[in-house]
Amino acid sequence: MQKDELVLSDVHLQVQSNQSKGYNISRFYYSEDPYTKKKKQVSAKTTEDGNLHRSKLVNGSLTDMIQGIDKQAEVTTKDGTEDKDNTEMDRDIGGIEIYKDDKCIGEVKTDKDVCGVKKDKDICEVKKNKDVCKVKKDSDGDVEVQRRKRKIEDLSVITIAHKMETTLGNVGQQIWLASLLMADFIISHKEEFQGKRILDLGAGVGLTSVVAAMYADHIISTDIGKDIKELAQHNLDQNNIKDVTNFSVEEFDWFENKYTADKTDEVKLKMDHEVESDIDSCDIIISADVIYDNNITDALFRTVYGLMVYTSINTWYISTEKRYVFTLQDLDIACPAYQHFRECLTQLQDMSDHAQFTISCEEEISQCFQYNRTKELELWKVTIQRHSTTK
């Protein structure tokens, strides 16, 4: 990809208000009471008198679908009488969910015209009056869960100025999916960021810095380039970050800084000594969607290595997205940037001269923002255990 080639972000914005000075002004809605993709298990059992009742839900109420009932649904035989001796009904009937609205209650019957409750392979259809509730499945056969729609007034909002398309050299002026994943992680793990000092490497327009600032004590938002720095400063200002925490927006070149492993201490940072001191005292690094060029990835890892070995920083969170492209080298679809990233993680874990690094992938992250989260999005955690001889 050429540097002057246009690059378009794949983020589908939920609410987009207007344009100002060539930038899109978008509102990102989120909730600090997020939902997860964990399944809420519901089972149906029969009592001794033959009535069907619903067991208690696991992990709370069934909030992701319409509200269920706590009343019993009557189970009848073909002649309309209760079947108390039916031993087949004394076991769990998995997957039956009874719902109610203001006017109707679903009933499960054994009448062949309504529902065949038989053995193992038969499927029960839950009826609400005359309407049959059918389970919808996608092309892979997975059940499509209908999420509850949150009211706008129940959500908080972050306003971000950004661009929808840029050249490759200015991709930081766009919003990318992995930055929303990082924002989800920060909100759902707020206790890890509460009162901490955060260094945001490759902050772009500052979305992740804004979210981290809701909990952290101090934020240093960094990237390279005058335009991106001014844009991040604008977004932090318009979200009133100065009212809740200390923050600064600085230029930080991963190729030339005193922390880079293959550089000498004579390399001067493009920031004043006070900010340099603030970086040295940070606790956590965050980086969102910065993996797209192998040379830049190498510079990032060299910088992070120096930061974690020689400062007080103990944890690095980095989110990324697997991007599939057709490569001539493989003559197939591959993820070269992601594969190189994984190789760098392995190399970092194998480096033990000054410290021991522990690396893990966060498997379950609650979704707080409204966007299309795909399985290609990942968030990795890197921690360090320094040797006693490390300065």
Side-chain angles (χ1 to χ4, degrees):
M1 182 177 291
Q2 302 299 320
K3 286 190 175 181
D4 57 350
E5 183 177 345
L6 286 180
V7 180
L8 177 65
S9 171
D10 50 2
V11 173
H12 301 287
L13 302 177
Q14 299 297 319
V15 178
Q16 189 171 311
S17 55
N18 54 19
Q19 289 190 341
S20 176
K21 297 181 180 180
Y23 291 101
N24 286 74
I25 311 298
S26 300
R27 297 184 179 92
F28 293 86
Y29 293 94
Y30 68 94
S31 171
E32 292 192 67
D33 177 27
Y35 60 82
T36 66
K37 292 188 176 182
K38 292 181 180 179
K39 294 181 179 179
K40 309 273 189 177
Q41 297 181 354
V42 180
S43 62
K45 298 181 180 180
T46 53
T47 58
E48 293 180 358
D49 58 1
N51 287 330
L52 184 69
H53 74 85
R54 191 186 60 157
S55 63
K56 293 183 178 180
L57 298 179
V58 178
N59 296 329
S61 59
L62 188 61
T63 55
D64 289 336
M65 304 183 74
I66 59 178
Q67 295 181 344
I69 63 169
D70 290 321
K71 295 184 179 181
Q72 297 176 340
E74 183 180 3
V75 177
T76 61
T77 59
K78 293 181 180 180
D79 57 3
T81 61
E82 294 182 357
D83 186 0
K84 298 182 180 180
D85 300 324
N86 188 350
T87 57
E88 282 295 323
M89 294 301 294
D90 289 334
R91 59 181 175 81
D92 288 354
I93 306 175
I96 299 179
E97 301 176 2
I98 312 297
Y99 307 118
K100 117 176 191 182
D101 53 25
D102 295 335
K103 297 182 180 180
C104 62
I105 298 176
E107 295 184 353
V108 179
K109 296 184 179 182
T110 55
D111 190 341
K112 291 182 179 179
D113 295 333
V114 179
C115 175
V117 181
K118 295 183 180 181
K119 297 180 181 178
D120 300 330
K121 297 183 179 179
D122 291 328
I123 301 176
C124 295
E125 291 184 350
V126 180
K127 284 210 168 188
K128 291 180 180 179
N129 292 345
K130 295 181 180 180
D131 296 327
V132 179
C133 299
K134 295 182 178 179
V135 177
K136 294 183 178 180
K137 297 185 178 181
D138 60 20
S139 57
D140 296 327
D142 299 323
V143 176
E144 292 184 351
V145 179
Q146 182 178 0
R147 302 290 183 187
R148 64 173 177 174
K149 294 183 178 180
R150 300 180 184 272
K151 296 180 180 179
I152 292 297
E153 57 267 25
D154 295 335
L155 301 175
S156 302
V157 63
I158 291 173
T159 303
I160 297 291
H162 63 99
K163 288 193 173 182
M164 293 299 294
E165 63 178 19
T166 63
T167 59
L168 183 61
N170 294 311
V171 291
Q173 297 183 28
Q174 298 187 48
I175 297 288
W176 299 93
L177 286 176
S179 63
L180 290 168
L181 179 68
M182 177 65 75
D184 280 342
F185 180 81
I186 294 171
I187 293 177
S188 57
H189 294 76
K190 63 186 75 173
E191 65 282 353
E192 296 188 29
F193 297 87
Q194 200 78 44
K196 301 294 185 180
R197 302 172 70 85
I198 310 298
L199 173 62
D200 193 344
L201 292 179
V205 297
L207 173 62
T208 51
S209 294
V210 171
V211 175
M214 297 191 298
Y215 312 107
D217 181 63
H218 192 102
I219 298 292
I220 304 177
S221 182
T222 68
D223 214 307
I224 188 168
K226 179 181 177 181
D227 292 342
I228 191 68
K229 180 180 175 181
E230 291 178 351
L231 189 55
Q233 182 73 51
H234 168 77
N235 287 327
L236 285 160
D237 288 339
Q238 74 172 349
N239 286 282
N240 300 316
I241 299 305
K242 63 182 178 181
D243 295 339
V244 294
T245 191
N246 298 314
F247 76 89
S248 62
V249 180
E250 304 295 338
E251 189 168 345
F252 192 173
D253 189 343
W254 300 344
F255 289 91
E256 291 187 356
N257 61 78
K258 75 170 188 177
Y259 306 103
T260 304
D262 60 351
K263 297 291 182 179
T264 64
D265 289 343
E266 283 75 23
V267 175
K268 212 172 180 183
L269 284 172
K270 297 178 181 179
M271 56 183 71
D272 58 40
H273 294 294
E274 182 179 351
V275 175
E276 181 180 338
S277 177
D278 286 341
I279 289 179
D280 290 346
S281 61
C282 282
D283 304 298
I284 298 173
I285 301 173
I286 58 175
S287 305
D289 222 323
V290 293
I291 305 301
Y292 57 92
D293 178 272
N294 290 354
N295 291 329
I296 294 176
T297 299
D298 290 340
L300 171 63
F301 270 82
R302 289 194 298 267
T303 298
V304 169
Y305 177 85
L307 283 165
M308 297 189 73
V309 169
Y310 298 111
T311 74
S312 60
I313 295 171
N314 293 311
T315 306
W316 177 33
Y317 292 109
I318 177 169
S319 60
T320 189
E321 180 180 6
K322 298 178 186 177
R323 292 187 172 90
Y324 296 93
V325 295
F326 182 85
T327 65
L328 293 176
Q329 180 179 355
D330 301 309
L331 292 179
D332 198 358
I333 296 175
C335 305
Y338 174 78
Q339 291 169 357
H340 185 74
F341 164 70
R342 292 296 302 271
E343 291 170 0
C344 289
L345 283 177
T346 300
Q347 292 173 12
L348 183 63
Q349 192 167 29
D350 291 340
M351 297 176 71
S352 57
D353 293 341
H354 301 286
Q356 184 63 51
F357 292 91
T358 301
I359 300 172
S360 60
C361 184
E362 298 292 324
E363 296 293 338
E364 295 181 351
I365 302 174
S366 299
Q367 185 163 350
C368 308
F369 284 84
Q370 300 178 349
Y371 66 101
N372 180 31
R373 184 191 288 185
T374 67
K375 63 182 180 180
E376 282 73 31
L377 293 171
E378 293 182 352
L379 189 142
W380 291 79
K381 178 180 182 180
V382 178
T383 57
I384 184 173
Q385 183 66 44
R386 299 178 187 86
H387 300 331
S388 57
T389 57
T390 303
K391 295 182 180 181

